[in-house]
Short mmCIF file of all heavy atoms in Angstrom, two decimals:
data_model
loop_
_atom_site.label_atom_id
_atom_site.label_comp_id
_atom_site.label_asym_id
_atom_site.label_seq_id
_atom_site.Cartn_x
_atom_site.Cartn_y
_atom_site.Cartn_z
N ARG M 24 15.30 -2.09 17.28
CA ARG M 24 16.70 -1.78 16.90
C ARG M 24 17.51 -3.11 16.93
O ARG M 24 18.64 -3.15 17.30
CB ARG M 24 17.29 -0.77 17.88
CG ARG M 24 16.48 0.55 17.85
CD ARG M 24 17.09 1.72 18.55
NE ARG M 24 16.29 2.94 18.39
CZ ARG M 24 16.67 4.13 18.72
NH1 ARG M 24 17.86 4.36 19.22
NH2 ARG M 24 15.81 5.17 18.60
N GLY M 25 16.81 -4.13 16.44
CA GLY M 25 17.47 -5.46 16.35
C GLY M 25 17.65 -5.97 14.96
O GLY M 25 17.84 -7.17 14.75
N GLY M 26 17.67 -5.07 13.98
CA GLY M 26 17.90 -5.49 12.62
C GLY M 26 16.63 -5.57 11.75
O GLY M 26 15.54 -5.70 12.32
N ARG M 27 16.80 -5.51 10.45
CA ARG M 27 15.66 -5.51 9.60
C ARG M 27 15.14 -6.93 9.33
O ARG M 27 15.92 -7.88 9.27
CB ARG M 27 16.06 -4.86 8.25
CG ARG M 27 16.37 -3.37 8.37
CD ARG M 27 16.72 -2.72 7.06
NE ARG M 27 16.99 -1.31 7.24
CZ ARG M 27 17.32 -0.47 6.27
NH1 ARG M 27 17.54 -0.93 5.03
NH2 ARG M 27 17.51 0.83 6.51
N LYS M 28 13.81 -7.01 9.19
CA LYS M 28 13.15 -8.30 8.90
C LYS M 28 12.00 -8.03 7.93
O LYS M 28 11.64 -6.90 7.64
CB LYS M 28 12.60 -8.87 10.21
CG LYS M 28 13.62 -9.17 11.29
CD LYS M 28 12.96 -9.73 12.56
CE LYS M 28 13.97 -9.94 13.64
NZ LYS M 28 13.33 -10.39 14.95
N ASP M 29 11.51 -9.12 7.40
CA ASP M 29 10.32 -9.05 6.54
C ASP M 29 9.09 -9.08 7.38
O ASP M 29 8.49 -10.13 7.70
CB ASP M 29 10.28 -10.22 5.53
CG ASP M 29 11.38 -10.12 4.51
OD1 ASP M 29 11.45 -9.06 3.84
OD2 ASP M 29 12.14 -11.05 4.31
N PHE M 30 8.62 -7.91 7.82
CA PHE M 30 7.51 -7.79 8.74
C PHE M 30 6.18 -7.91 7.99
O PHE M 30 5.99 -7.26 6.96
CB PHE M 30 7.53 -6.51 9.55
CG PHE M 30 8.63 -6.46 10.60
CD1 PHE M 30 9.79 -5.80 10.42
CD2 PHE M 30 8.38 -7.11 11.83
CE1 PHE M 30 10.81 -5.77 11.41
CE2 PHE M 30 9.37 -7.10 12.81
CZ PHE M 30 10.54 -6.41 12.59
N THR M 31 5.27 -8.74 8.49
CA THR M 31 4.01 -8.91 7.88
C THR M 31 3.21 -7.61 7.81
O THR M 31 2.55 -7.31 6.83
CB THR M 31 3.18 -10.00 8.56
OG1 THR M 31 3.99 -11.19 8.64
CG2 THR M 31 1.89 -10.31 7.82
N TYR M 32 3.24 -6.83 8.89
CA TYR M 32 2.53 -5.55 8.91
C TYR M 32 3.04 -4.60 7.84
O TYR M 32 2.22 -3.91 7.23
CB TYR M 32 2.56 -4.89 10.32
CG TYR M 32 1.86 -3.61 10.36
CD1 TYR M 32 0.48 -3.60 10.56
CD2 TYR M 32 2.52 -2.37 10.24
CE1 TYR M 32 -0.23 -2.36 10.56
CE2 TYR M 32 1.83 -1.16 10.25
CZ TYR M 32 0.48 -1.17 10.43
OH TYR M 32 -0.23 0.00 10.44
N SER M 33 4.32 -4.55 7.62
CA SER M 33 4.85 -3.68 6.57
C SER M 33 4.29 -4.14 5.19
O SER M 33 3.97 -3.26 4.38
CB SER M 33 6.37 -3.71 6.62
OG SER M 33 6.87 -3.19 7.80
N ARG M 34 4.28 -5.42 4.97
CA ARG M 34 3.70 -5.90 3.73
C ARG M 34 2.24 -5.57 3.61
O ARG M 34 1.72 -5.15 2.55
CB ARG M 34 3.91 -7.38 3.56
CG ARG M 34 5.34 -7.85 3.45
CD ARG M 34 5.98 -7.28 2.17
NE ARG M 34 7.22 -7.98 1.89
CZ ARG M 34 8.39 -7.63 2.41
NH1 ARG M 34 8.44 -6.64 3.27
NH2 ARG M 34 9.49 -8.31 2.12
N LEU M 35 1.52 -5.72 4.71
CA LEU M 35 0.09 -5.38 4.69
C LEU M 35 -0.14 -3.97 4.24
O LEU M 35 -1.04 -3.71 3.41
CB LEU M 35 -0.51 -5.59 6.10
CG LEU M 35 -1.90 -4.97 6.36
CD1 LEU M 35 -2.93 -5.76 5.64
CD2 LEU M 35 -2.18 -4.92 7.89
N MET M 36 0.64 -3.07 4.79
CA MET M 36 0.41 -1.65 4.45
C MET M 36 0.90 -1.27 3.11
O MET M 36 0.38 -0.34 2.45
CB MET M 36 1.01 -0.78 5.54
CG MET M 36 0.45 -0.96 6.92
SD MET M 36 -1.38 -0.89 6.99
CE MET M 36 -1.68 0.80 6.48
N THR M 37 1.87 -1.99 2.55
CA THR M 37 2.18 -1.75 1.14
C THR M 37 1.07 -2.22 0.23
O THR M 37 0.77 -1.59 -0.79
CB THR M 37 3.53 -2.38 0.68
OG1 THR M 37 3.50 -3.81 1.00
CG2 THR M 37 4.69 -1.78 1.42
N TRP M 38 0.39 -3.30 0.59
CA TRP M 38 -0.80 -3.71 -0.09
C TRP M 38 -1.87 -2.59 -0.04
O TRP M 38 -2.52 -2.29 -1.06
CB TRP M 38 -1.37 -5.01 0.52
CG TRP M 38 -2.68 -5.46 -0.12
CD1 TRP M 38 -2.82 -6.27 -1.19
CD2 TRP M 38 -3.97 -5.15 0.33
NE1 TRP M 38 -4.15 -6.42 -1.48
CE2 TRP M 38 -4.91 -5.74 -0.55
CE3 TRP M 38 -4.48 -4.33 1.38
CZ2 TRP M 38 -6.24 -5.56 -0.42
CZ3 TRP M 38 -5.86 -4.17 1.52
CH2 TRP M 38 -6.73 -4.80 0.64
N VAL M 39 -2.04 -2.02 1.15
CA VAL M 39 -2.98 -0.90 1.30
C VAL M 39 -2.61 0.28 0.37
O VAL M 39 -3.47 0.87 -0.21
CB VAL M 39 -2.98 -0.42 2.78
CG1 VAL M 39 -3.81 0.85 2.91
CG2 VAL M 39 -3.64 -1.48 3.70
N ALA M 40 -1.33 0.57 0.28
CA ALA M 40 -0.92 1.68 -0.57
C ALA M 40 -1.36 1.47 -2.03
O ALA M 40 -1.98 2.36 -2.64
CB ALA M 40 0.60 1.86 -0.54
N PHE M 41 -1.11 0.24 -2.58
CA PHE M 41 -1.53 -0.03 -3.91
C PHE M 41 -3.04 -0.06 -4.04
O PHE M 41 -3.65 0.45 -5.01
CB PHE M 41 -0.91 -1.29 -4.43
CG PHE M 41 0.58 -1.24 -4.55
CD1 PHE M 41 1.36 -2.13 -3.86
CD2 PHE M 41 1.19 -0.28 -5.35
CE1 PHE M 41 2.77 -2.09 -3.95
CE2 PHE M 41 2.57 -0.21 -5.48
CZ PHE M 41 3.36 -1.12 -4.77
N ASP M 42 -3.73 -0.69 -3.12
CA ASP M 42 -5.21 -0.80 -3.11
C ASP M 42 -5.83 0.58 -3.14
O ASP M 42 -6.74 0.90 -3.93
CB ASP M 42 -5.65 -1.56 -1.92
CG ASP M 42 -7.17 -1.64 -1.81
OD1 ASP M 42 -7.79 -2.43 -2.56
OD2 ASP M 42 -7.75 -0.88 -1.01
N ARG M 43 -5.39 1.51 -2.26
CA ARG M 43 -5.98 2.87 -2.22
C ARG M 43 -5.65 3.65 -3.46
O ARG M 43 -6.49 4.39 -3.97
CB ARG M 43 -5.53 3.59 -0.96
CG ARG M 43 -5.79 2.90 0.39
CD ARG M 43 -7.25 2.50 0.58
NE ARG M 43 -7.48 2.06 1.96
CZ ARG M 43 -7.52 0.84 2.40
NH1 ARG M 43 -7.24 -0.19 1.56
NH2 ARG M 43 -7.71 0.51 3.65
N GLY M 44 -4.39 3.47 -3.96
CA GLY M 44 -4.06 4.19 -5.17
C GLY M 44 -4.91 3.76 -6.37
O GLY M 44 -5.40 4.59 -7.11
N ILE M 45 -5.11 2.47 -6.51
CA ILE M 45 -5.95 1.98 -7.60
C ILE M 45 -7.38 2.50 -7.44
O ILE M 45 -8.00 2.90 -8.44
CB ILE M 45 -5.92 0.43 -7.62
CG1 ILE M 45 -4.51 -0.08 -7.94
CG2 ILE M 45 -6.96 -0.13 -8.56
CD1 ILE M 45 -4.34 -1.56 -7.68
N ARG M 46 -7.87 2.48 -6.21
CA ARG M 46 -9.25 2.89 -5.99
C ARG M 46 -9.39 4.43 -6.31
O ARG M 46 -10.37 4.82 -6.98
CB ARG M 46 -9.62 2.70 -4.53
CG ARG M 46 -11.05 2.94 -4.21
CD ARG M 46 -11.29 2.71 -2.74
NE ARG M 46 -10.86 1.39 -2.30
CZ ARG M 46 -10.88 1.02 -0.97
NH1 ARG M 46 -11.27 1.86 -0.05
NH2 ARG M 46 -10.47 -0.15 -0.65
N LEU M 47 -8.46 5.25 -5.88
CA LEU M 47 -8.54 6.68 -6.13
C LEU M 47 -8.41 6.99 -7.62
O LEU M 47 -9.17 7.82 -8.16
CB LEU M 47 -7.42 7.40 -5.37
CG LEU M 47 -7.61 7.56 -3.88
CD1 LEU M 47 -6.29 8.02 -3.25
CD2 LEU M 47 -8.73 8.51 -3.52
N ALA M 48 -7.49 6.30 -8.30
CA ALA M 48 -7.33 6.56 -9.72
C ALA M 48 -8.59 6.13 -10.51
O ALA M 48 -8.99 6.85 -11.45
CB ALA M 48 -6.14 5.75 -10.25
N THR M 49 -9.22 5.04 -10.11
CA THR M 49 -10.43 4.59 -10.78
C THR M 49 -11.62 5.49 -10.53
O THR M 49 -12.33 5.90 -11.43
CB THR M 49 -10.75 3.18 -10.37
OG1 THR M 49 -9.62 2.31 -10.56
CG2 THR M 49 -11.97 2.64 -11.06
N GLU M 50 -11.82 5.87 -9.25
CA GLU M 50 -12.99 6.66 -8.92
C GLU M 50 -12.92 8.11 -9.46
O GLU M 50 -13.95 8.66 -9.79
CB GLU M 50 -13.12 6.75 -7.39
CG GLU M 50 -13.53 5.44 -6.73
CD GLU M 50 -13.58 5.52 -5.22
OE1 GLU M 50 -13.23 6.57 -4.67
OE2 GLU M 50 -14.00 4.49 -4.57
N HIS M 51 -11.68 8.64 -9.60
CA HIS M 51 -11.54 10.06 -9.99
C HIS M 51 -10.94 10.18 -11.38
O HIS M 51 -10.58 11.31 -11.79
CB HIS M 51 -10.73 10.81 -8.98
CG HIS M 51 -11.32 10.79 -7.60
ND1 HIS M 51 -12.46 11.45 -7.27
CD2 HIS M 51 -10.97 10.10 -6.48
CE1 HIS M 51 -12.79 11.22 -5.99
NE2 HIS M 51 -11.91 10.40 -5.50
N ALA M 52 -10.82 9.07 -12.09
CA ALA M 52 -10.33 9.07 -13.49
C ALA M 52 -8.93 9.78 -13.55
O ALA M 52 -8.77 10.64 -14.46
CB ALA M 52 -11.33 9.75 -14.41
N ARG M 53 -8.06 9.40 -12.64
CA ARG M 53 -6.74 10.01 -12.67
C ARG M 53 -5.75 9.15 -13.46
O ARG M 53 -5.88 7.90 -13.51
CB ARG M 53 -6.22 10.11 -11.24
CG ARG M 53 -7.05 11.04 -10.32
CD ARG M 53 -7.10 12.44 -10.79
NE ARG M 53 -7.66 13.34 -9.79
CZ ARG M 53 -8.17 14.51 -10.04
NH1 ARG M 53 -8.12 14.99 -11.31
NH2 ARG M 53 -8.64 15.31 -9.09
N PRO M 54 -4.79 9.76 -14.09
CA PRO M 54 -3.80 9.01 -14.84
C PRO M 54 -2.96 8.12 -13.88
O PRO M 54 -2.48 8.61 -12.86
CB PRO M 54 -2.96 10.05 -15.51
CG PRO M 54 -3.15 11.30 -14.72
CD PRO M 54 -4.54 11.23 -14.18
N ALA M 55 -2.78 6.86 -14.20
CA ALA M 55 -2.04 5.94 -13.39
C ALA M 55 -1.62 4.71 -14.15
O ALA M 55 -2.35 4.29 -15.11
CB ALA M 55 -2.89 5.54 -12.13
N ASP M 56 -0.54 4.12 -13.76
CA ASP M 56 -0.12 2.82 -14.36
C ASP M 56 -0.83 1.69 -13.65
O ASP M 56 -0.24 1.00 -12.87
CB ASP M 56 1.43 2.70 -14.24
CG ASP M 56 1.98 1.59 -15.10
OD1 ASP M 56 1.20 0.75 -15.54
OD2 ASP M 56 3.20 1.57 -15.32
#
């Protein structure tokens, strides 16, 4: 509760979000940008 910052862990997990999304779309032939 000390204010917002650019946290490395938060960036790590946004990388995970895109990585898993790309993987799922590719493996299951789902429509995706």
Side-chain angles (χ1 to χ4, degrees):
R24 302 193 178 189
R27 294 180 178 179
K28 299 177 182 178
D29 290 307
F30 286 102
T31 305
Y32 179 79
S33 296
R34 293 297 194 275
L35 166 71
M36 297 310 296
T37 54
W38 176 88
V39 169
F41 294 122
D42 176 78
R43 302 307 190 263
I45 293 167
R46 187 182 307 174
L47 286 168
T49 303
E50 290 178 355
H51 301 289
R53 298 298 191 199
D56 192 343

